[in-house]
Amino acid sequence: MTINSAEFEGNEASRGGAIFNSAGKMDILGTADKRVVFEDNKAYVGGAFTDVYTNNAETFIKGALFEENHAGADAGAAGFYGKVDVENTIFRENTAAITVDGVTADLGNSDGGGAILVGGTSDVSLTKVQFVGNESGARGGAISARHGTGYELDIDTATFTTNKSGNFGGGIANVYGGTVNMNNVDFVSNSATKAGGAIYNGVDATINFDGDVLFSNNTAVEGADIYNDGIV
């Protein structure tokens, strides 16, 4: 399935407020002048979008805007559990596990991810992306990465600005055994209530800085820029 230059606004579901990609291949294609817009969608998991790992789902997203989408538990904008590639996309002011606009936070069952949750058996690539003002009541103000050993999240040319976590990892929380690779990434003015204002890296998790990474004006009680329990 291919989606070109569409708008998804004000939809609501239990999983995937606008789109649930259960199986097969999906291309979501916009341009800088005519983006595919996901705005004010709501769900328990995946405010605007989610897929599943069991059916070998593959998703390619280019030229999209995810703005002000909300999830009660995980993945304010998008839950990525299969193979996902994202390019030239903006994630702005999405929330997870925050009570807002009729969505009730479920902190007790939240894996976080104000914008994105990366699932247990997913390989995800993010290129030329922006994360601005996303918030999680749990971990991962912008991204909660809970992929396991042998799976990778690649981030190339990205900005993380003013994202917030009510727990740890204002920008990114990498919490299980997965690897996050970063090149040309800026973390500016992100915050976490507890640890890792920009990045939290948990036990057995790995983060590789393959190129320039900038940290500026991030805040947390412990580790304003990076809190590490794993391998950096």
Side-chain angles (χ1 to χ4, degrees):
M1 174 183 287
T2 299
I3 297 171
N4 292 293
S5 302
E7 296 184 11
F8 299 87
E9 182 175 354
N11 302 286
E12 188 168 354
S14 176
R15 299 174 67 189
I19 295 175
F20 187 124
N21 185 21
S22 177
K25 184 171 173 27
M26 175 175 284
D27 292 333
I28 299 172
L29 306 176
T31 66
D33 295 327
K34 186 64 175 176
R35 293 186 178 275
V36 177
V37 176
F38 296 85
E39 184 175 1
D40 193 28
N41 300 287
K42 302 170 185 176
Y44 182 71
V45 174
F49 173 93
T50 195
D51 61 3
V52 292
Y53 67 89
T54 53
N55 295 330
N56 298 314
E58 294 187 18
T59 306
F60 177 53
I61 301 172
K62 182 177 182 180
L65 169 64
F66 291 82
E67 185 168 38
E68 296 183 357
N69 302 284
H70 310 290
D74 313 331
F80 296 151
Y81 297 87
K83 185 180 187 311
V84 181
D85 293 307
V86 181
E87 297 181 4
N88 296 299
T89 291
I90 301 168
F91 296 87
R92 185 164 57 213
E93 297 180 0
N94 304 283
T95 68
I98 299 283
T99 297
V100 60
D101 292 341
V103 174
T104 301
D106 186 359
L107 277 171
N109 293 298
S110 177
D111 283 318
I116 291 174
L117 175 73
V118 177
T121 56
S122 54
D123 283 309
V124 176
S125 174
L126 307 175
T127 306
K128 296 181 180 178
V129 292
Q130 301 175 39
F131 295 89
V132 183
N134 302 284
E135 185 173 1
S136 170
R139 60 182 178 244
I143 298 175
S144 176
R146 58 182 302 277
H147 54 314
T149 302
Y151 297 92
E152 298 193 351
L153 167 61
D154 296 321
I155 306 173
D156 187 358
T157 311
T159 57
F160 292 79
T161 309
T162 63
N163 302 286
K164 300 178 182 179
S165 167
N167 198 327
F168 46 84
I172 299 172
N174 187 29
V175 293
Y176 290 156
T179 298
V180 177
N181 303 307
M182 282 184 266
N183 175 58
N184 192 26
V185 180
D186 293 348
F187 293 90
V188 179
S189 299
N190 303 283
S191 62
T193 300
K194 294 182 180 179
I199 297 172
Y200 176 93
N201 195 46
V203 176
D204 296 327
T206 299
I207 290 180
N208 296 317
F209 297 119
D210 299 323
D212 294 336
V213 179
L214 169 71
F215 297 92
S216 176
N217 200 38
N218 302 291
T219 59
V221 174
E222 297 179 315
D225 293 328
I226 301 172
Y227 183 98
N228 180 49
D229 268 333
I231 301 169
V232 175

